Amino acid sequence: MNLIWFILPLFLYFGLSTYGFSKNVSSRPAVVNIGALFTFESTIGRVAKIAIEEAVKDVNSNSSILHGTKLALTMQDSNCSGFFGMVGALQFMETDIVAIIGPQSSVVAQIISHVANELQVPLLSFGASDPTLSSLQFPFFVRTRQSDLYQMTAVAEVVDYYGWKDVIAIFIDDDYGRNGVSALDDKLAERRCRISYKQGISPGSEVNRGDIMDLLIKVALMESRIIVLHVNPDSGFMVFSVAQYLGMMGNGFVWIATDWLSSVLDSAAPLPSETMDSIQGVLVLRQHTPYSDRKKAFFSRWKKLTGGSLGLHSYGLSAYDSVWLLAHAIDAFFNQGGVISFSNDSRLQSALGDNLHLEAMNIFDDGNLLLQSILQSNLVGLTGPIKFNSDRSLILPAYDIINVVGTGFRRIGYWSNYSGLSVVAPETLYAMPPNHSSANQQLYSVIWPGETLSKPRGWVFPNNGKQLKIGVPNRASYRAFVSRVRGTDMFKGFCIDVFTAAVNLLPYAVPYRFVPFGNGLENPSYTELVNMITTGDFDAAVGDIAIVTNRTKIVDFTQPYASSGLVVVVPLKKKNSGAWAFLQPFSRNMWIVSACFFLLIGTVVWILEHRTNDEFRGPPKKQLITILWFSLSTMFFAHRENIVSTLGRMVLIIWLFVVLIINSSYTASLTSILTVQLLSSPIKGFESLKMSEELIGYQVGSFAEHYLEELGISRSRLVALGSPDEYALALQRGPEKGGVAAIVDELPYVELFLSSQCKFRVVGQEFTKSGWGFAFPRDSPLAIDMSTAILQLSENGDLQRIHDKWLIRSTCSLETTEIESDQLQLKSFWGLFLICGIACFFALFIYFVQIMQQSCRTAPSESISAGPNNSISGRVRRLLSLMDEKVDHSNSGSKRRKVERSLSENSKDSELVSRRQTGMPTGTNISSSN
């Protein structure tokens, strides 16, 4: 016995270390303790409590899950309080809990996640949807339903699908509400939408109907009619009740509620008639759970459990699946050799003392292993596939989109992260390639608040008595476009009339007032005017404002109501007569080359025709005159010499075609020169202006200055001009006398300037393509409606009538409307000359080949004994002799026969005469003998 009492203290001494007391159990204990922490008396909690209890029963009755081990469930009521939730979590830590199902509240989850991290106990939350809980700060927090990040993505895609831009967000002012709306703001921004106003509601019971009414009155005075409600059920139904009282559940309004409302509709239906009346037409999101036989069976079982008094919502399904997920993870934990053991944290004893009794809290030694088993789970529950991605979020997030109608609701479509909005169930789309194209997005028709099928515009002009402050440039020149009525704040002009006509076409009233911008002594900077919209000084800008890239980056423009582009204006001079005007159609090189070709063709034809054509033979002087005459006469197609050789005819046909083109071009160019005005400047367009070093004028306040600098033109070359008179004076003076070589300005100004100034002309083409529009803040719905109105003005002809009223004032004669004429250059005809030259070359080549062949045939029959020293000169003389020899290929044989016949007859006649003289008879033959 003494030995036993000696050994026992030693065992206790070595068994209790200074780092904590360990309570070890076998690797497969009979019971595993789990906890559940949520608010029992809440819309989510009432359903979750029954679902969790039933799940534990199902797991314990299924021996194939934990193989004999049972789950022991302990529940704590958090009462929607972060404090009570933390107390409940600490109490769990004293009872060797390996995991906690819950909490349902994001606020409570934010607090107890710190406790879970320290004590290494996983939290499986079926209700906390705050997106920030998925951060690395809370590694032991596992969400068994979808994060609000995906729910807000679905909301943003619905807003974008219907073409709305501005959204008002009303949220519960806690972690759940603030972080959810923050996610919504980010997702809207990705689609160029925005939250124009957001307001929180107190999360406690302090909120009253008066506070809600004050909030909604502010909302009613704003322009947006798209309201997203992200609250809890108590405050949510109060918002709808007040909204109905204020008439905000009627036409034009759009209400989108997050899944807090669907949980009530699923669990508490049917709701009281007055409650249903207040939510008619509302769009609601609900986490999608695919159909399955197991789910259908559980719903039937649920009705028996509750007697039909309590419906089953998606939160209850997630709570049920959480227990099954934990059971499978615990089984995997044991299979991997995990041991359920707990240790006291010595830091709590040494740092905090004994007054709080924190030494009773235990660390789950293998908590990390159980956490990994949970995250590696892959099973199918009532909510569908349960599998986590790398961000510890469930895969395949999807939501139902439902529309509250009558005494119930109808599903109008689905949203999934896989393919966006669709009327086809997500599980069907998973078998197809993902398709997020706008053409593939589809929802069924909606019955909107006010029992209308027409899609609301989504905004109205704010009914707060505030007038739009519209900035208008107070111009000093070109006042036909926009000008201030002297002594008043009223404006008139082409731009003002277009704006007024467009506003009158809008289906709602737009109160506004014009605010002058500029001193009226010089044109203001239009870039500064546009910038003042971004600072809030102006709500819009109206005037001759060009739509250019740097401005579209900060504001939105309407559809252009006038075309505008930069053009170059230069002075003109008229040359209608002159002694040498006939030389102007062709350039000098063109004249020289043409003259050379006339002589060339005459020479080539003479060479080809000289041997066979009597008209090209004779004394050298006559032949030279023939060459010159033939060459010049082809200019007028008046040559009388017949061409008999084939090569000569070929060359002449080609040359006559060239002469025809040259004559026609000359005639047209000379006619144009004698009837149009010519530029007195070498500038032919923007490129030649850019390459020169001459001064360039531009209008004060125009974007042309910045644009020309971007194109590489030095600032020292730019001269600011403020009026049409300054334009004319600067162009007339020219660079030599302190003026400018050209003006660069927008086309509408130039057209008005040239309507009364006939000494100047536009050269080249527009080198920018833009237009004038009215400027509004980014994503302003008014810009879209005004664009539609401007298009309507254009289609019905009112826009052209306004233009004619202000801008048709031409005093120049029709003569000034002629276009510029240039000299014809050699480059325009070199192809014709090339063809003609090639034809001449081949004709001469063939001709000389024929001469050489003939020379070779005749050489042996001539002097064979010529010495070697004379052979080269002899060949040259023979070649020249052949080229100069008269050849008549068609008549040479007959002529030779005629000569021989004549010679024969002459010899016979002389023989008869001699016989008569000698007395010999005429029939006797005379033969000579030796």
Side-chain angles (χ1 to χ4, degrees):
M1 287 294 296
N2 293 333
L3 181 61
I4 294 174
W5 285 107
F6 176 77
I7 295 176
L8 181 60
L10 291 177
F11 174 78
L12 293 175
Y13 176 80
F14 289 106
L16 298 176
S17 67
T18 57
Y19 295 101
F21 175 76
S22 297
K23 297 181 287 186
N24 295 323
V25 202
S26 64
S27 60
R28 282 265 182 188
V31 176
V32 175
N33 296 320
I34 63 171
L37 181 65
F38 53 92
T39 303
F40 294 167
E41 295 301 321
S42 65
T43 300
I44 297 175
R46 283 189 290 269
V47 175
K49 186 174 184 296
I50 301 175
I52 292 174
E53 290 173 346
E54 291 301 309
V56 172
K57 291 179 183 177
D58 292 345
V59 169
N60 288 337
S61 63
N62 190 336
S63 60
S64 64
I65 302 299
L66 291 175
H67 305 285
T69 300
K70 303 294 183 181
L71 295 180
L73 174 66
T74 304
M75 292 190 180
Q76 294 282 356
D77 190 350
S78 65
N79 290 313
C80 286
S81 167
F83 174 75
F84 285 109
M86 181 180 65
V87 171
L90 294 177
Q91 291 174 348
F92 281 148
M93 298 302 106
E94 299 178 4
T95 57
D96 299 342
I97 296 294
V98 299
I100 298 176
I101 307 295
Q104 75 184 58
S105 168
S106 297
V107 176
V108 178
Q110 289 275 359
I111 296 173
I112 69 172
S113 289
H114 295 283
V115 178
N117 290 347
E118 292 298 327
L119 302 179
Q120 300 182 15
V121 176
L123 296 177
L124 279 75
S125 176
F126 57 86
S129 55
D130 178 3
T132 61
L133 289 170
S134 298
S135 65
L136 298 176
Q137 181 184 5
F138 305 115
F140 280 84
F141 177 85
V142 180
R143 200 191 318 268
T144 58
R145 73 176 285 109
Q146 297 300 340
S147 163
D148 276 342
L149 178 66
Y150 298 109
Q151 183 172 205
M152 294 309 174
T153 304
V155 172
E157 291 208 10
V158 170
V159 171
D160 185 54
Y161 172 76
Y162 288 110
W164 301 318
K165 293 299 180 183
D166 283 357
V167 170
I168 294 174
I170 300 175
F171 59 95
I172 196 76
D173 198 3
D174 57 13
D175 292 327
Y176 159 73
R178 286 191 301 270
N179 295 330
V181 169
S182 177
L184 175 62
D185 203 3
D186 293 340
K187 295 303 177 180
L188 287 172
E190 291 176 3
R191 293 156 179 82
R192 288 201 64 186
C193 304
R194 67 188 180 107
I195 297 178
S196 58
Y197 178 76
K198 55 185 174 182
Q199 181 63 54
I201 298 176
S202 176
S205 59
E206 301 84 10
V207 64
N208 55 54
R209 190 176 179 88
D211 296 335
I212 300 296
M213 186 167 292
D214 292 340
L215 168 61
L216 292 184
I217 288 174
K218 288 183 181 179
V219 171
L221 295 176
M222 296 178 181
E223 67 180 26
S224 178
R225 287 293 181 262
I226 314 300
I227 304 171
V228 176
L229 198 58
H230 187 53
V231 293
N232 56 38
D234 294 335
S235 57
F237 284 113
M238 186 181 295
V239 169
F240 283 129
S241 176
V242 175
Q244 185 183 29
Y245 174 78
L246 295 176
M248 297 176 65
M249 298 302 298
N251 287 338
F253 284 89
V254 175
W255 289 84
I256 302 176
T258 51
D259 58 2
W260 66 267
L261 181 54
S262 62
S263 65
V264 177
L265 293 173
D266 287 333
S267 62
L271 295 175
S273 59
E274 60 272 14
T275 302
M276 291 301 297
D277 290 343
S278 68
I279 59 175
Q280 290 297 302
V282 175
L283 294 182
V284 188
L285 272 75
R286 175 178 62 190
Q287 180 170 313
H288 175 69
T289 56
Y291 174 82
S292 65
D293 293 337
R294 185 182 174 195
K295 175 183 171 182
K296 180 181 178 181
F298 188 77
F299 266 89
S300 299
R301 176 182 168 190
W302 184 269
K303 289 181 180 179
K304 295 178 181 179
L305 288 171
T306 61
S309 62
L310 185 64
L312 179 61
H313 48 55
S314 62
Y315 285 94
L317 296 175
S318 296
Y320 181 88
D321 283 348
S322 298
V323 177
W324 278 85
L325 170 65
L326 180 57
H328 282 279
I330 292 173
D331 183 60
F333 168 80
F334 288 143
N335 291 336
Q336 296 174 28
V339 176
I340 297 179
S341 62
F342 296 88
S343 302
N344 292 127
D345 190 347
S346 60
R347 293 174 299 174
L348 296 177
Q349 297 177 1
S350 60
L352 300 176
D354 297 329
N355 294 333
L356 295 178
H357 302 286
L358 295 178
E359 71 278 0
M361 291 189 300
N362 303 312
I363 298 175
F364 183 15
D365 294 332
D366 282 341
N368 272 305
L369 181 59
L370 179 58
L371 174 63
Q372 295 305 314
S373 298
I374 293 172
L375 295 177
Q376 293 170 7
S377 298
N378 186 4
L379 65 151
V380 178
L382 298 181
T383 58
I386 302 176
K387 185 178 180 181
F388 297 93
N389 58 24
S390 58
D391 296 329
R392 293 182 291 124
S393 298
L394 289 173
I395 62 171
L396 305 178
Y399 285 85
D400 298 337
I401 302 173
I402 60 180
N403 180 208
V404 179
V405 181
T407 59
F409 54 84
R410 57 187 285 267
R411 184 171 52 220
I412 63 169
Y414 307 89
W415 174 89
S416 68
N417 198 42
Y418 189 76
S419 293
L421 301 174
S422 175
V423 295
V424 180
E427 51 269 22
T428 303
L429 297 176
Y430 295 149
M432 307 176 186
N435 188 348
H436 274 275
S437 66
S438 57
N440 193 55
Q441 307 300 295
Q442 186 179 4
L443 293 174
Y444 290 124
S445 60
V446 179
I447 299 178
W448 303 100
E451 297 183 357
T452 178
L453 289 172
S454 300
K455 185 199 77 173
R457 183 191 300 113
W459 80 285
V460 295
F461 199 83
N463 189 21
N464 54 12
K466 177 185 175 182
Q467 291 182 322
L468 286 180
K469 292 187 299 181
I470 298 180
V472 182
N474 191 11
R475 294 190 59 89
S477 62
Y478 293 111
R479 297 172 63 83
F481 295 107
V482 57
S483 62
R484 185 177 182 180
V485 178
R486 193 177 302 276
T488 68
D489 286 336
M490 299 176 61
F491 286 81
K492 63 180 182 179
F494 168 68
C495 304
I496 301 300
D497 280 4
V498 173
F499 176 78
T500 304
V503 168
N504 291 337
L505 291 177
L506 297 179
Y508 48 86
V510 179
Y512 63 88
R513 61 186 178 91
F514 290 135
V515 179
F517 176 72
N519 55 21
L521 302 178
E522 62 180 5
N523 298 333
S525 170
Y526 282 47
T527 300
E528 292 181 11
L529 172 61
V530 171
N531 285 333
M532 292 183 72
I533 298 177
T534 63
T535 60
D537 295 317
F538 294 132
D539 297 313
V542 171
D544 45 339
I545 305 172
I547 304 173
V548 293
T549 303
N550 62 331
R551 296 174 184 172
T552 58
K553 293 178 180 178
I554 57 176
V555 298
D556 281 348
F557 282 93
T558 62
Q559 169 79 17
Y561 61 87
S563 61
S564 173
L566 293 180
V567 294
V568 179
V569 181
V570 296
L572 298 175
K573 66 179 180 179
K574 193 169 183 179
K575 293 183 179 180
N576 285 341
S577 62
W580 304 101
F582 67 91
L583 294 177
Q584 293 177 12
F586 290 161
S587 64
R588 182 178 60 179
N589 290 340
M590 182 64 183
W591 280 116
I592 294 173
V593 172
S594 297
C596 292
F597 261 84
F598 272 104
L599 295 176
L600 173 64
I601 294 301
T603 305
V604 169
V605 171
W606 178 83
I607 293 174
L608 298 175
E609 294 290 317
H610 179 67
R611 301 184 67 212
T612 60
N613 195 336
D614 291 338
E615 296 181 3
F616 288 88
R617 298 186 63 83
K621 181 178 180 181
K622 178 184 176 183
Q623 295 182 45
L624 180 61
I625 293 174
T626 300
I627 292 174
L628 294 175
W629 168 254
F630 180 83
S631 299
L632 297 177
S633 62
T634 56
M635 182 186 301
F636 311 101
F637 305 98
H639 54 283
R640 297 182 178 179
E641 291 79 6
N642 294 321
I643 306 300
V644 298
S645 66
T646 302
L647 294 176
R649 289 174 179 175
M650 180 191 72
V651 171
L652 183 61
I653 288 174
I654 296 175
W655 173 244
L656 291 179
F657 175 75
V658 174
V659 170
L660 176 63
I661 300 300
I662 293 175
N663 281 347
S664 301
S665 302
Y666 177 86
T667 303
S669 180
L670 182 61
T671 303
S672 178
I673 287 174
L674 295 177
T675 55
V676 304
Q677 301 183 73
L678 299 180
L679 293 175
S680 61
S681 169
I683 296 171
K684 308 299 182 184
F686 177 73
E687 290 300 325
S688 59
L689 177 64
K690 181 180 178 181
M691 297 303 295
S692 69
E693 296 297 328
E694 305 290 351
L695 296 179
I696 304 171
Y698 68 93
Q699 184 180 174
V700 175
S702 171
F703 75 96
E705 176 185 10
H706 176 71
Y707 187 82
L708 292 173
E709 289 182 359
E710 284 188 345
L711 293 178
I713 296 178
S714 172
R715 180 68 186 81
S716 60
R717 293 180 56 192
L718 302 180
V719 179
L721 303 172
S723 67
D725 293 337
E726 292 184 20
Y727 280 16
L729 183 61
L731 286 172
Q732 289 172 353
R733 287 179 176 177
E736 299 81 6
K737 298 181 180 180
V740 297
I743 299 289
V744 174
D745 204 354
E746 296 175 63
L747 185 59
Y749 302 120
V750 170
E751 288 178 343
L752 192 59
F753 170 68
L754 295 181
S755 66
S756 58
Q757 296 287 343
C758 305
K759 298 180 180 179
F760 313 100
R761 184 62 59 234
V762 174
V763 293
Q765 302 294 324
E766 293 181 60
F767 55 93
T768 63
K769 293 292 184 181
S770 60
W772 287 351
F774 305 131
F776 292 89
R778 291 298 297 269
D779 302 319
S780 170
L782 189 56
I784 300 174
D785 289 351
M786 285 291 289
S787 295
T788 303
I790 290 172
L791 287 174
Q792 188 174 346
L793 288 175
S794 176
E795 291 171 358
N796 61 24
D798 288 344
L799 189 60
Q800 184 61 44
R801 283 187 283 272
I802 296 173
H803 178 275
D804 296 344
K805 171 186 174 182
W806 288 99
L807 303 180
I808 301 299
R809 296 181 179 177
S810 178
T811 59
C812 297
S813 64
L814 287 176
E815 188 176 332
T816 62
T817 63
E818 299 286 346
I819 61 173
E820 172 197 355
S821 177
D822 287 330
Q823 284 184 326
L824 297 175
Q825 304 292 328
L826 177 62
K827 63 183 179 181
S828 301
F829 299 92
W830 71 269
L832 289 173
F833 289 127
L834 177 63
I835 294 173
C836 189
I838 293 174
C840 293
F841 172 79
F842 277 107
L844 290 177
F845 177 77
I846 295 173
Y847 175 78
F848 282 113
V849 168
Q850 293 174 348
I851 293 296
M852 293 299 295
Q853 290 177 346
Q854 187 174 0
S855 175
C856 292
R857 287 196 302 267
T858 57
S861 62
E862 295 184 359
S863 177
I864 300 177
S865 60
N869 296 332
N870 296 329
S871 61
I872 296 177
S873 60
R875 291 174 184 175
V876 172
R877 285 195 302 270
R878 187 166 55 253
L879 181 62
L880 293 177
S881 176
L882 283 174
M883 293 178 60
D884 188 57
E885 180 182 353
K886 176 68 172 68
V887 177
D888 192 346
H889 295 290
S890 61
N891 299 323
S892 58
S894 61
K895 288 182 179 180
R896 185 179 301 108
R897 286 191 294 271
K898 290 180 180 179
V899 170
E900 292 176 352
R901 190 181 303 115
S902 176
L903 291 175
S904 176
E905 291 177 352
N906 289 338
S907 70
K908 289 181 179 180
D909 292 340
S910 60
E911 183 180 354
L912 290 172
V913 170
S914 62
R915 284 185 177 185
R916 289 191 185 103
Q917 290 175 354
T918 56
M920 293 180 65
T922 57
T924 305
N925 292 330
I926 301 174
S927 60
S928 59
S929 61
N930 294 328

